Amino acid sequence: FVTTILSAQKPVELLLWPDGAPNTNGLTGTEEDLQGGRVANVVNPSITVYRPAKPNGMAIIMCPGGGYARLAMNHEGHDMAAWFMAQGITYAVLKYRMPNGHREVPLDDVRQGLRILHNYSEEWKITKVGVMGASIGGYIAGHAAIFGVDDARPDFQILLYPVISMLPHLTHLKSRERLLGANPTHEEEEAFSLELHVNALTPPAFIALASDDEAVSPENSVLYYLALLKNKVSASLHIY
């Protein structure tokens, strides 16, 4: 294990939009480093890529959580890199911008991260690219899985205690407000509720959560799992 890690490539950080992002969230200022490896006010989104010594062809882009207010970059991001590299998996941590009411901003960032991994597929010996996320990062990952197109379509999804729905009795309300605003219409709530948009083309899913989660209702994962089953999408659900 130690030999694998020491002989692996040093992580590299790649800007998502080196020539400037195609959209803005209206936030200005500088990036903030908070306690516990958390980051706020991301202005230059990026992916940090950890490449294993012996790649097995699989790559994963991880979307940390943070309630659309900050990013838990360590325990929902970098801390898992060593384990994934030991399995031969190329692992990328996404540092995405907050929506601040601009709904497409974080979703465009994850799609761009997927494109970058696909663009490096030959050089980094990648044959499958998956998307992974925790909490509201799970929402971003799930959205990319359902609505992915062309070179931004993931081959699989791994969701950890994800926010799935934007319906008021299910969602994480603060996250929803930061995404959709204080008073979204019912049509907007449904348009951004992932459990209502699963289809036969949705990629396979691995979902894990705790039954006593008081921040994100377990119903989010259960409803998403049932929607996957209904559409005959391969899925596994693990509730602890």
Side-chain angles (χ1 to χ4, degrees), residues 16-239:
L16 297 184
W17 312 103
D19 299 322
N23 51 26
T24 178
N25 56 11
L27 297 175
T28 58
T30 57
E31 187 171 303
E32 302 171 26
D33 291 319
L34 309 176
Q35 289 184 335
R38 290 170 170 82
V39 173
N41 201 41
V42 172
V43 291
N44 290 311
S46 65
I47 54 171
T48 299
V49 184
Y50 295 84
R51 295 169 55 200
K54 296 180 179 179
N56 66 7
M58 189 179 298
I60 289 172
I61 184 168
M62 175 62 185
C63 308
Y68 275 150
R70 63 197 66 82
L71 294 176
M73 294 298 294
N74 284 357
H75 74 274
E76 292 176 347
H78 299 296
D79 290 354
M80 290 179 272
W83 187 89
F84 279 105
M85 282 196 296
Q87 319 307 313
I89 298 170
T90 300
Y91 179 73
V93 181
L94 177 70
K95 184 166 70 173
Y96 58 88
R97 295 169 294 158
M98 300 297 99
N100 190 38
H102 297 262
R103 302 163 185 182
E104 288 302 314
V105 166
L107 306 176
D108 280 349
D109 283 355
V110 69
R111 286 191 281 261
Q112 182 68 359
L114 287 163
R115 289 189 191 98
I116 291 173
L117 289 181
H118 280 120
N119 288 342
Y120 278 92
S121 60
E122 186 173 341
E123 181 179 342
W124 292 348
K125 296 179 173 60
I126 296 170
T127 55
K128 285 190 175 183
V129 178
V131 68
M132 178 175 173
S135 193
I136 196 62
Y139 177 84
I140 295 173
H143 194 284
I146 291 176
F147 296 105
V149 292
D150 301 330
D151 55 354
R153 184 185 298 277
D155 296 300
F156 59 89
Q157 53 182 319
I158 302 171
L159 308 182
L160 309 178
Y161 42 96
V163 177
I164 292 294
S165 184
M166 289 294 146
L167 298 177
H169 64 290
L170 293 171
T171 193
H172 183 259
L173 287 171
K174 281 293 183 183
S175 295
R176 186 185 78 156
E177 182 175 339
R178 293 171 184 135
L179 181 69
L180 300 181
N183 298 296
T185 65
H186 185 64
E187 288 74 20
E188 289 173 318
E189 292 172 351
E190 289 190 336
F192 283 83
S193 292
L194 302 183
E195 75 277 15
L196 302 179
H197 299 280
V198 174
N199 58 64
L201 299 178
T202 301
F206 174 100
I207 309 165
L209 66 149
S211 61
D212 61 351
D213 192 333
E214 295 181 355
V216 179
S217 169
E219 286 184 77
N220 282 267
S221 293
V222 173
L223 288 173
Y224 192 59
Y225 175 70
L226 293 174
L228 292 164
L229 290 188
K230 183 178 179 181
N231 286 275
K232 295 181 171 54
V233 176
S234 176
S236 61
L237 176 66
H238 308 263
I239 306 178

